[in-house]
Amino acid sequence: FAAFLAYFLGHAAMPLAFGQKAVALAESAGEEGAPLLIMALSGLSAGYEMIGDYQAAFATHERALQLLRQPFPPQAESPTAKTARGGAPDLALLLGMTVMTQGGIAIEVGDYSSAQRYRDESLTLARTANDPFRMAFTICFLGNLAYCQQRYREAHAHYEQSVRLLR
């Protein structure tokens, strides 16, 4: 969480350092640290974004997505139960946020087909969760994708729809 806070505050190298430390700690915990490793990888990816290394951010987020899509071992405590006690985050929400973010990173590396795929999945997940915040941001990012592809009318329509949802 320190990596994300430093990212949002605009501190250049701190998100990367906090992310690297978080990943090392989560990895050292083995299977028990798997739910937290996902969050740590997301923080590390934010650090890579902060310094402009979008290829590393994309690869790091791919690793997080692979972990999110795997079932957790039966002996591991439910991530939802841990969330209630302040532990690991809700994995469904984390998947939705990670997919949404990966779509944005794909735009930054110029992989527009992956960006579209991730954005479509993100929108489906946000609608399934009935999460207007994620729907609005995903639609805004679809606008960014359309803009990068010089489809300006489509971009404008996405931006307008995003604003309506946020209001």
Side-chain angles (χ1 to χ4, degrees):
F1 288 108
F4 287 116
L5 181 58
Y7 175 86
F8 290 125
L9 292 175
H11 297 292
M14 291 177 67
L16 189 60
F18 284 132
Q20 289 168 333
K21 179 73 171 174
V23 168
L25 288 169
E27 286 177 336
S28 71
E31 278 189 24
E32 190 175 316
L36 294 175
L37 178 57
I38 295 163
M39 194 69 184
L41 287 166
S42 295
L44 178 58
S45 180
Y48 285 128
E49 281 184 74
M50 180 62 87
I51 63 169
D53 189 346
Y54 293 103
Q55 293 290 345
F58 190 85
T60 302
H61 245 86
E62 274 302 308
R63 183 174 173 208
L65 280 170
Q66 288 172 356
L67 290 171
L68 278 164
R69 295 181 196 284
Q70 293 177 4
F72 282 88
Q75 71 272 19
E77 183 180 1
S78 159
T80 305
K82 287 183 179 184
T83 300
R85 293 195 327 271
D90 174 7
L91 293 182
L93 175 62
L94 190 53
L95 175 63
M97 295 298 291
T98 304
V99 169
M100 182 177 71
T101 302
Q102 188 68 330
I105 298 170
I107 291 171
E108 293 293 338
V109 297
D111 185 352
Y112 296 153
S113 63
S114 290
Q116 184 69 52
R117 188 180 74 250
Y118 285 119
R119 295 307 174 165
D120 290 345
E121 181 182 1
S122 176
L123 193 53
T124 299
L125 291 168
R127 285 180 174 148
T128 300
N130 196 26
D131 184 341
F133 175 81
R134 277 192 292 147
M135 285 186 270
F137 275 87
T138 299
I139 291 167
C140 179
F141 290 144
L142 284 168
N144 294 348
L145 177 59
Y147 183 85
C148 289
Q149 294 173 318
Q150 299 180 354
R151 298 187 330 254
Y152 302 117
R153 287 184 186 183
E154 182 182 335
H156 184 265
H158 285 305
Y159 294 144
E160 289 293 325
Q161 184 181 6
S162 178
V163 169
R164 280 192 303 273
L165 277 169
L166 287 171
R167 284 188 179 144

